[in-house]
Amino acid sequence: MNSWTTAQQVILLWSCMLHAVHMMPSQKRTNKHSQSERITGLSGNDGETLHRTKRGWMWNQFFLLEEYTGPDTQYVGKLHTDQDKGDGNLKYILTGDGAGSLFIIDENTGDIHAAKKLDREEKSLYVLRAKAIDRKTGRQVEPESEFIIKIHDINDNEPKFTKDMYTASIPEMSGVGTSVIQVTATDADDANYGNSAKVVYSILQGQPYFSVDPETGIIKTALPDMSRENREQYQVVIQAKDMGGQMGGLSGTTTVNITLTDVNDNPPRFPQSMEHLRVLSPESAPPGTPLGRIKANDPDLGENAEIEYSISNGDGSDMFDIITDKDTQEGIITVKKQLDFENKMLYTLRVEATNTHLDPRFLQLGPFKDTALVKISVEDIDEPPVFNRPSYLIEVDEDAKEGSIIGQVVAQDPDVTKNTIKYSVDRHTDLDRIFNIYSGNGSLFISKPLDREETPWHNITVIATEINNPKQSSQIPVFIRILDINDHAPEFAKYYETFVCENAKAGQLIQTVSAVDKDEPPRGHKFFFELVPEFAVHPNFSIVDNKDNTAGIMTRRNGYSRSKTSTYLLPVIIFDNDYPIQSSTGTLTIRVCACDSRGNMQSCNAEALLLSAGLSTGALVAIFLCIIILLVLVVLFAALKRQRKKEPLIISKDDVRDNIVTYNDEGGGEEDTQAFDIGTLRNPEAREESKMRRDVIPETIFQIRRTTPLWENIDVQDFIHRRLKENDSDPAAPPYDSLATYAYEGNDSIANSLSSLESLTTDGNQDYDYLN
């Protein structure tokens, strides 16, 4: 602090002396003057008269010291003209940069002072203009003139680096004098005035590893063969000092972080010359199974530490292989061929580790590879059972009976002991318990009925477990496919309701029907359509099988009348061609409608039909009232008939007429198991059989004719009539069979009952002549 104060005093003293020197000899003399004065006195030999010119403005360039900190304002200089007689008639005026604020002039004396502290780095010179004015006349006694105030620099700014912190890197093992980075510091002081801005660099921290050029700021290495493995990071502190580095100069510092980058200067090394791997490996381990890892250490980084492993020799070189793990740089020993525990339990390998990226500059450091001896011991362990297949596929018909065996799974213990295995089904995969398995031999069987239409596939899991060690178990997926059988009858694809025009012609197509079947026969669906037997020859409609699983409903006559029949129900039989044949009957609803000439439907309701016949609304109401009255009369008649009291059949005990005994006993009806099972008559299979006569040798062997299938919804009487008709028309039927039908009763007698039981109710003898 004392040295700085002394320097300031010296500079101020020097500046003041320089200011005085500049002020005294540098007064200007203007070329302009108002008059010339003649000087009387001595004259020369030639007798010439001497003249002197009147002086004008007196000033020159002013100098001022920056950062003045004195108690009084800093004196800059004085403006003066030879027109000033000292009587106060003249007034000095100052204009220009900082006039009135930074620079103040005494208008009477012309003295100029600096009102504030000035900074050269902010502004180094000021241009001002001055003039002198006569106070009385306001006339300028001197023309306006320009002058300059220049600020002298002092060392008040320290050097500053362009960055507060620098980052650099250099490869390890670099030679002495290798350039690392250049740092730069700037000084805001005047570089053309003194040494205030002359910067010199020096190193404060980082020796003896690095050095810095004092003039350029270039940092260089100072020690040879610096190793990254020993030390990777360095922090260097650089100082920049002005005044050429002399005492009293200002300084600034910066930090440089230097990192040594890696080079491949270290070979890989195994931690020990012999490695022993104890491998618990099953003998059935497939090729490529990893057995263990081995690692060689390399202190380098990145690609300089990449290692390639190989097996150079050994008795297990043909049984094992080694690959490199690129992430961990480890050698993974794998199985090359299947191991045999009983044949050989110990193998010896020589493994070599080599760097893949070599640096020619460091090859003299030695071979960049290393070898180690690896011993591998194979031990037999208790392994879980192994199935003979990765998965099983079993196919079974959906009509398979409960308890049927559908397939078998087989597993074995790969160990030498060959432990006994038991089988079970994972119930999480068979929640309905449809399948089961024999624990001893692995045979799968069915526990519940199957339905392909409900579940076509079953995926279950079978578990094989060692009996002696239940922890050792394996599981296998079993895919069971349910094969389809023909157990569903075809049916209409949708509900059909169509119409026929009243003016329709015979042979017109009014509807095309199709069928669907839940079954899936292997050769695809094939449906046949025909009318039920009682409608085989329908007077109104016919059906034509299109041979493509569809059929067309055709008209058989010309014209239909809504007044007679407004709706027709046409039953159609649909049956498939799979075994056993399944069929169903679907009913087609056909309405009779009024159509235009093009066959477009116009109206089908009954009200429109009545209105078209010319009946008014009143007539329709009258018809309905009559119907209601008739219904009421019928109900009354039935009620009166029920209230009629019946006379007793026997009046006295002496009556010798027949008595009526009531047992109040009915037959068993349909539930009577002793009655004849009429379902046999409806069996389509029984109807298909056709037997030849045994007592007559046929002259011609007739082809057995396939009759039209009959179904359960056909009346028994109609079935018997048709069966009789078929046998009568069949030439192979026995001629002596006969059929008697007693299912028909005659009409009621007009004479009512002829029993004598009711003779007492009559008043006299009845006349039976009308019976003749």
Side-chain angles (χ1 to χ4, degrees), residues 286-398:
T289 302
L291 301 180
R293 292 172 177 256
I294 188 172
K295 181 175 176 60
N297 299 322
D298 191 332
D300 295 325
L301 297 176
E303 66 176 13
N304 297 322
E306 291 183 1
I307 301 174
E308 188 70 28
Y309 294 91
S310 61
I311 298 176
S312 57
N313 53 37
D315 59 359
S317 58
D318 58 339
M319 299 296 296
F320 302 95
D321 200 357
I322 188 168
I323 58 176
T324 304
D325 189 335
K326 299 299 181 181
D327 296 330
T328 62
Q329 297 301 316
E330 294 177 318
I332 304 175
I333 298 177
T334 61
V335 177
K336 189 175 182 181
K337 294 182 180 180
Q338 186 172 351
L339 303 176
D340 188 358
F341 172 77
E342 289 74 19
N343 186 23
K344 190 175 181 61
M345 295 180 293
L346 181 63
Y347 296 89
T348 301
L349 302 176
R350 183 170 296 277
V351 178
E352 185 178 88
T354 308
N355 276 140
T356 57
H357 297 83
L358 301 179
D359 194 332
R361 297 175 299 173
F362 307 106
L363 293 178
Q364 72 277 3
L365 297 179
F368 282 77
K369 62 181 180 180
D370 195 15
T371 60
L373 198 64
V374 179
K375 291 185 177 294
I376 301 177
S377 298
V378 180
E379 294 185 1
D380 191 19
I381 61 174
D382 189 7
E383 302 175 66
V386 178
F387 287 91
N388 60 352
R389 297 183 190 175
S391 63
Y392 289 86
L393 173 62
I394 299 176
E395 295 182 345
V396 57
D397 293 333
E398 65 176 319

Side-chain angles (χ1 to χ4, degrees), residues 27-33 53-59 81-82 142-143 145:
Q27 292 179 349
K28 273 189 177 180
R29 297 171 183 250
T30 61
N31 294 326
K32 298 180 182 180
H33 56 274
T53 303
K54 184 179 180 180
R55 291 181 301 171
W57 286 102
M58 293 183 296
W59 72 82
T81 176
D82 55 5
E142 292 288 353
S145 181

Side-chain angles (χ1 to χ4, degrees), residues 470-663:
K471 294 182 179 180
Q472 297 296 333
S473 63
S474 301
Q475 57 185 17
I476 196 75
V478 179
F479 307 103
I480 302 174
R481 179 183 180 184
I482 309 303
L483 300 179
D484 184 43
I485 64 169
N486 194 26
D487 58 344
H488 289 82
E491 55 189 14
F492 276 138
K494 62 179 182 179
Y495 174 72
Y496 290 100
E497 183 176 2
T498 185
F499 71 94
V500 62
C501 296
E502 287 185 307
N503 57 356
K505 303 296 183 181
Q508 286 185 355
L509 175 66
I510 63 173
Q511 180 67 48
T512 300
V513 295
S514 61
V516 293
D517 195 336
K518 295 181 181 179
D519 295 319
E520 292 182 359
R523 294 183 299 275
H525 289 294
K526 181 64 177 176
F527 302 127
F528 301 95
F529 302 85
E530 64 181 33
L531 297 178
V532 295
E534 60 265 29
F535 296 104
V537 182
H538 200 282
N540 299 307
F541 305 98
S542 63
I543 186 168
V544 177
D545 196 332
N546 297 326
K547 307 302 182 181
D548 59 353
N549 293 340
T550 63
I553 306 301
M554 313 292 292
T555 59
R556 293 199 63 183
R557 62 185 179 88
N558 296 328
Y560 296 84
S561 175
R562 279 185 296 168
S563 60
K564 295 182 178 180
T565 305
S566 61
T567 302
Y568 292 93
L569 298 179
L570 186 64
V572 178
I573 299 176
I574 314 167
F575 57 95
D576 53 26
N577 67 331
D578 204 357
Y579 179 82
I581 295 177
Q582 300 288 344
S583 66
S584 67
T585 302
T587 301
L588 183 68
T589 303
I590 305 173
R591 294 188 299 164
V592 181
C593 302
C595 304
D596 57 14
S597 59
R598 296 183 179 180
N600 298 322
M601 181 180 66
Q602 292 180 337
S603 176
C604 296
N605 51 36
E607 182 180 356
L609 176 62
L610 294 176
L611 292 177
S612 64
L615 293 178
S616 62
T617 305
L620 294 175
V621 173
I623 292 173
F624 291 146
L625 289 176
C626 292
I627 294 174
I628 293 173
I629 292 172
L630 290 176
L631 291 176
V632 171
L633 293 176
V634 170
V635 172
L636 292 175
F637 179 77
L640 292 174
K641 188 175 181 180
R642 290 178 182 177
Q643 294 178 357
R644 183 184 300 171
K645 297 182 179 180
K646 296 184 178 180
E647 295 291 339
L649 296 179
I650 302 176
I651 299 176
S652 65
K653 297 181 180 179
D654 299 330
D655 198 338
V656 295
R657 286 174 291 184
D658 296 335
N659 295 328
I660 297 177
V661 181
T662 301
Y663 295 96

